[in-house]
Amino acid sequence: MGLPQQEYQNPGAVQFGNFINYYQFNSAEQRLDLLSKEHWVLEKASEDSPYLVLDVGCNSGVFTQLLQKFLTQVILSRNIKIYAVDLDPELIKRAQADNNCDNIEFACLDVMAAEDFTKILKYLNKYKRTKYDAVCCFSVTMWIHLNHDDTGLQGFLTKLSSLSELLVVEPQPWRCYQTAERRMKRVNKSFPLFLKLKWRSNVVEEIEKKNDTFQECIKPVIIEKTKPKTGAKISIQDDGYYQETEDGSRKLQKVEITLQDCLACSGCITSAEGVLITQQSQEELLKVLNENQSLKSNEKFSDEARVVVFTISQQPVLSLAQRYGLTVENTIKHLSGYLRHLGADIILNTKIADDLALLECRREFIDRFRSKSQEQPLPMLTSSCPGWVCYAEKTHGNFILPYLSTTRSPQQIMGILVKQWLAKKLKVKSEQIYHATIMPCYDKKLEASRHDFFSEVENSKDVDCVITSIEIEQMLSSESLEKYPASKFDDVFDVVDDNGPSDTIWGYESSTSGGYSEHIFKYSAKHLFDMDVATLEYKNLRNPDFREVILEKDGKCLLKFAIANGFRNIQNLVQKLKRGKTQYHFVEVMACPSGCINGGAQIRPVSGQTVRELTSQLEHLYRQLPQSNPNNLTCESMYNNFFDGFHTEKAKMFLHTTYHAVEKLNTALNIKW
């Protein structure tokens, strides 16, 4: 619910709203009069549990104490406990000194800092709770907005909504922003992000809209109404979907949809972020890690603690290195240190999974090329990109799926190694391991949530949580990675590899998306035609994201491979397949333009920098990485000791998967690209 904003006098200029004399200009009693009693009573509340309130931006605590008395009168059956936080240490000292209520605890915290946010979760653990009954945010949104921009404010609201049954927000209107900026200029300062904000005169409406939906995936519901002769249309406006009829416009209702709904839907292609905001979010990760730390520190429950394993792919490391101006080596060290700080027990890179994916994919291609089976036709299309797989399943179904490689993506191969091989080595059950990955793509969350990658027997997902590059940046907030002591990847595979050290990340050819096309082309040229190919010269077609390479001998085309990045090029490829006009043998397919290095969840360009410029810089970093050779002792040992050899049933079961056509629905969400 929202509260109207009062006219304020001039209390001075501050950057974070931490006015030392705030309540001299703003009556706490008048604000209390604006609160409605009916909103605070929750229908399914337990009388045995205290009513927990988080008060964000409490200042000196004057209003917090009034709020505690107010709620005590409203909710008679429960003990009211308030955890009040503010980022100003002097204000918190005053609040603590003036506090005359044992049920109020004041703490100096910045909710936008990941480390401080974990303390907010720890307060819940004291009462064995996962959520607050209410979170209050009085006249705070403007300061979050001015210091963290539109994205930061959205993330702030999402964080708070995930913590509570009730969120009370008092947003400041745009005129207050203008006043705050004027006051800062009078003292020769300013808010650097002020001119970059997109939520301006409509800021209250945008906050109310977010307060209503909190980034949940929504879809229109058809209104049962007689269709007029002229027909009815669905129009998409800024505030939702409308049905246009002869009788006028009617706004369509919104309904929440679950992850299963999203996977079953044949409409949108990649709506993973909104749907998985709670199941696969940084808040969920921090909550799990915090609870796990509490179990470890309690002797009675230490046996219930899980082994926390992080797997980090190459692209997020490069994105973070560019963001914080660090070398790749130092980024790995300090990122590992940060994850240890959060509670990681084991930290791994994806090298062995990347290697195994290439080995399996190249074997699969050779088998297809030689067999020429209609059940597994050519061209073979890579399937490591979940956005592309989701699109293929929902949009082209049974036509396109036989072309897809059945080899699991490196993320899901790593999931098998962690939940099966590592669990056996550590002598724990799969469900006793919490496996989180750091990826460049939001759709990896969707991939990890597929039922194909859940073990009914083990009651365990191969990957429990996926966190992206941009979410790591958000978790760090204004902090730098260098703040955290250096650590390193763990070497759990017990093989002295002939392929170099294990405490770094590795490159694969030059495509920045796993090197499938180049590696398999070179391997196939040698093993099918006994031709050595050292370097590949790709020819750009419509654009640099659609390029091909050909192996010829005596004027005859022996192999024809391609790389297709971005949905525009993917559509062209699929249309050629449907018309029978493609002669490719293999295509590396990625949904994002420029491939995984430009994944949808990589950190955004800084002000004045274009996406193309940032991508070029990341590609340069990638090409400086040491090159991995999949033919190494670690992979050989894994095949022999875990998969029972090459090309075995166990290897097929653990390293391959299947895809499922989704029945197409005739809804307004079926968008033609």
Side-chain angles (χ1 to χ4, degrees):
M1 64 181 180
L3 299 173
Q5 177 68 26
Q6 304 175 61
E7 288 285 352
Y8 294 147
Q9 300 178 49
N10 184 3
V14 293
Q15 183 178 356
F16 300 105
N18 48 327
F19 297 103
I20 202 72
N21 56 348
Y22 182 81
Y23 289 109
Q24 294 179 19
F25 297 92
N26 301 277
S27 169
E29 289 79 7
Q30 288 182 14
R31 173 178 282 162
L32 191 66
D33 291 339
L34 299 173
L35 297 179
S36 171
K37 295 181 180 181
E38 63 186 32
H39 290 102
W40 304 88
V41 181
L42 303 176
E43 295 180 0
K44 298 181 180 180
S46 170
E47 295 185 2
D48 297 330
S49 175
Y51 189 98
L52 300 184
V53 179
L54 173 65
D55 185 12
V56 178
C58 65
N59 199 268
S60 60
V62 175
F63 180 75
T64 307
Q65 295 197 49
L66 290 177
L67 178 64
Q68 205 278 337
K69 294 177 181 178
F70 167 79
L71 292 177
T72 300
Q73 296 171 358
V74 173
I75 307 168
L76 301 176
S77 60
R78 299 176 67 187
N79 193 15
I80 310 299
K81 298 276 189 179
I82 299 182
Y83 190 47
V85 303
D86 198 284
L87 54 65
D88 191 305
E90 293 302 319
L91 289 173
I92 289 298
K93 286 181 182 178
R94 284 176 53 187
Q96 291 169 339
D98 296 338
N99 185 16
N100 54 16
C101 179
D102 293 336
N103 285 342
I104 301 177
E105 181 179 339
F106 291 99
C108 184
L109 299 177
D110 179 1
V111 294
M112 299 300 285
E115 184 176 358
D116 284 354
F117 193 76
T118 60
K119 296 176 183 177
I120 291 174
L121 298 175
K122 284 183 179 179
Y123 185 85
L124 289 171
N125 289 342
K126 288 169 52 177
Y127 301 98
K128 297 181 179 180
R129 296 275 294 279
T130 59
K131 283 191 174 185
Y132 290 86
D133 292 282
V135 173
C136 299
C137 180
F138 297 107
S139 290
V140 173
T141 55
M142 177 178 76
W143 307 106
I144 298 292
H145 201 187
L146 286 170
N147 289 284
H148 298 278
D149 71 30
D150 299 318
T151 302
L153 178 57
Q154 292 180 56
F156 171 74
L157 293 172
T158 301
K159 275 185 177 182
L160 297 190
S161 67
S162 70
L163 283 179
S164 65
E165 303 294 339
L166 170 69
L167 177 59
V168 184
V169 179
E170 181 188 20
Q172 294 106 313
W174 182 246
R175 56 183 170 77
C176 292
Y177 287 67
Q178 295 170 315
T179 300
E181 175 70 0
R182 284 196 301 269
R183 290 173 182 163
M184 289 293 279
K185 286 184 176 179
R186 288 173 189 157
V187 293
N188 297 320
K189 296 181 181 180
S190 67
F191 293 100
L193 299 175
F194 179 77
L195 296 177
K196 300 177 183 178
L197 300 180
K198 294 180 180 178
W199 291 4
R200 300 175 76 82
S201 59
N202 64 334
V203 62
V204 174
E205 290 78 8
E206 289 292 343
I207 290 175
E208 288 177 347
K209 192 185 302 181
K210 284 294 174 186
N211 203 17
D212 183 44
T213 63
F214 291 112
Q215 298 187 19
E216 291 172 341
C217 190
I218 61 172
K219 61 182 180 182
V221 176
I222 298 174
I223 297 176
E224 295 185 1
K225 184 175 180 179
T226 303
K227 184 177 179 181
K229 294 180 180 179
T230 56
K233 297 180 180 179
I234 301 295
S235 65
I236 303 174
Q237 300 181 17
D238 290 342
D239 59 343
Y241 291 80
Y242 285 80
Q243 184 183 40
E244 308 287 351
T245 70
E246 289 182 337
D247 299 327
S249 298
R250 292 190 61 181
K251 188 173 183 179
L252 299 181
Q253 302 173 45
K254 296 181 295 183
V255 296
E256 298 180 8
I257 68 173
T258 65
L259 174 59
Q260 293 302 319
D261 292 329
C262 181
L263 290 170
C265 169
S266 62
C268 60
I269 295 171
T270 58
S271 57
E273 180 182 15
V275 178
L276 299 174
I277 197 69
T278 54
Q279 299 100 324
Q280 296 270 357
S281 65
Q282 53 185 290
E283 289 79 19
E284 177 69 13
L285 173 70
L286 293 173
K287 184 182 77 172
V288 170
L289 295 181
N290 184 54
E291 291 174 350
N292 204 58
Q293 291 286 67
S294 298
L295 290 172
K296 287 181 179 179
S297 60
N298 190 323
E299 292 184 4
K300 292 183 179 180
F301 303 104
S302 59
D303 291 342
E304 298 179 19
R306 302 167 76 180
V307 179
V308 177
V309 179
F310 273 89
T311 296
I312 307 173
S313 65
Q314 306 99 320
Q315 294 86 359
V317 172
L318 302 182
S319 187
L320 290 164
Q322 186 69 23
R323 165 65 176 82
Y324 294 105
L326 301 173
T327 64
V328 172
E329 180 182 1
N330 283 335
T331 301
I332 293 170
K333 290 179 179 179
H334 293 293
L335 177 58
S336 298
Y338 174 59
L339 297 178
R340 303 274 186 204
H341 167 77
L342 292 180
D345 297 302
I346 298 173
I347 303 173
L348 307 170
N349 60 23
T350 58
K351 181 181 184 301
I352 186 172
D354 292 324
D355 290 343
L356 289 171
L358 284 177
L359 294 175
E360 286 298 305
C361 204
R362 77 187 192 187
R363 180 195 62 79
E364 183 183 357
F365 173 74
I366 294 294
D367 289 347
R368 287 196 187 205
F369 189 90
R370 286 173 172 165
S371 69
K372 295 180 172 58
S373 168
Q374 291 185 351
E375 295 180 357
Q376 291 186 314
L378 296 178
M380 189 173 95
L381 310 177
T382 58
S383 58
S384 63
C385 171
W388 149 239
V389 170
C390 191
Y391 171 76
E393 289 182 320
K394 294 178 179 181
T395 308
H396 300 287
N398 290 325
F399 167 77
I400 201 71
L401 296 186
Y403 293 94
L404 265 63
S405 165
T406 62
T407 301
R408 291 190 185 210
S409 72
Q411 172 176 273
Q412 298 311 133
I413 290 177
M414 206 68 202
I416 283 292
L417 296 181
V418 169
K419 289 298 185 85
Q420 300 293 331
W421 182 87
L422 184 59
K424 184 177 180 180
K425 179 179 180 178
L426 298 177
K427 298 180 180 179
V428 299
K429 295 180 179 179
S430 297
E431 61 183 0
Q432 290 178 275
I433 294 179
Y434 184 80
H435 183 205
T437 63
I438 300 178
M439 293 286 154
C441 172
Y442 284 117
D443 290 324
K444 284 294 180 182
K445 298 172 184 279
L446 200 63
E447 178 182 76
S449 301
R450 290 175 69 97
H451 189 72
D452 307 79
F453 304 133
F454 175 80
S455 171
E456 299 281 358
V457 176
E458 302 283 351
N459 189 33
S460 176
K461 291 193 293 185
D462 295 339
V463 177
D464 295 289
C465 185
V466 178
I467 294 298
T468 63
S469 315
I470 201 168
E471 287 173 299
I472 292 291
E473 181 193 31
Q474 291 169 354
M475 289 162 66
L476 287 166
S477 187
S478 58
E479 299 173 345
S480 173
L481 269 179
E482 289 183 289
K483 170 184 174 181
Y484 296 92
S487 185
K488 63 179 182 178
F489 292 139
D490 292 285
D491 187 4
V492 300
F493 297 108
D494 299 333
V495 174
V496 179
D497 208 337
D498 56 347
N499 199 23
S502 61
D503 58 350
T504 187
I505 57 173
W506 297 80
Y508 291 83
E509 306 294 347
S510 62
S511 75
T512 75
S513 301
Y516 290 91
S517 178
E518 292 182 58
H519 177 82
I520 295 172
F521 186 94
K522 293 176 182 178
Y523 181 85
S524 300
K526 179 64 177 176
H527 287 78
L528 292 174
F529 305 104
D530 196 26
M531 296 176 65
D532 293 309
V533 179
T535 58
L536 273 61
E537 295 184 7
Y538 281 91
K539 174 186 176 183
N540 290 346
L541 300 177
R542 291 173 176 264
N543 51 68
D545 271 328
F546 200 167
R547 54 193 188 272
E548 65 180 30
V549 61
I550 299 174
L551 180 69
E552 292 182 319
K553 185 176 183 180
D554 300 329
K556 181 181 179 181
C557 175
L558 303 178
L559 289 175
K560 190 174 184 180
F561 279 35
I563 294 176
N565 294 327
F567 274 110
R568 180 184 300 178
N569 292 322
I570 290 173
Q571 272 214 311
N572 290 333
L573 173 66
V574 173
Q575 292 306 316
K576 286 183 178 180
L577 277 172
K578 287 187 172 182
R579 294 195 298 265
K581 293 186 176 181
T582 179
Q583 297 178 341
Y584 294 122
H585 297 104
F586 182 95
V587 185
E588 178 183 308
V589 184
M590 301 292 160
C592 293
S594 300
C596 297
I597 203 72
N598 183 39
Q602 291 281 72
I603 296 172
R604 306 292 188 254
V606 297
S607 178
Q609 184 183 42
T610 66
V611 173
R612 182 168 295 181
E613 289 171 343
L614 176 59
T615 301
S616 178
Q617 292 169 353
L618 295 178
E619 288 174 340
H620 176 71
L621 287 177
Y622 184 88
R623 293 188 177 104
Q624 292 179 321
L625 297 177
Q627 290 287 301
S628 179
N629 178 4
N631 300 305
N632 56 66
L633 296 177
T634 304
C635 289
E636 182 179 341
S637 174
M638 189 61 67
Y639 273 112
N640 292 332
N641 299 322
F642 180 59
F643 296 122
D644 300 335
F646 293 85
H647 317 322
T648 62
E649 285 300 315
K650 187 175 181 180
K652 183 178 180 180
M653 178 177 68
F654 282 153
L655 297 176
H656 292 258
T657 187
T658 56
Y659 307 103
H660 320 282
V662 177
E663 182 181 355
K664 197 162 187 176
L665 302 176
N666 293 319
T667 72
L669 286 174
N670 288 333
I671 301 171
K672 290 186 178 180
W673 289 68

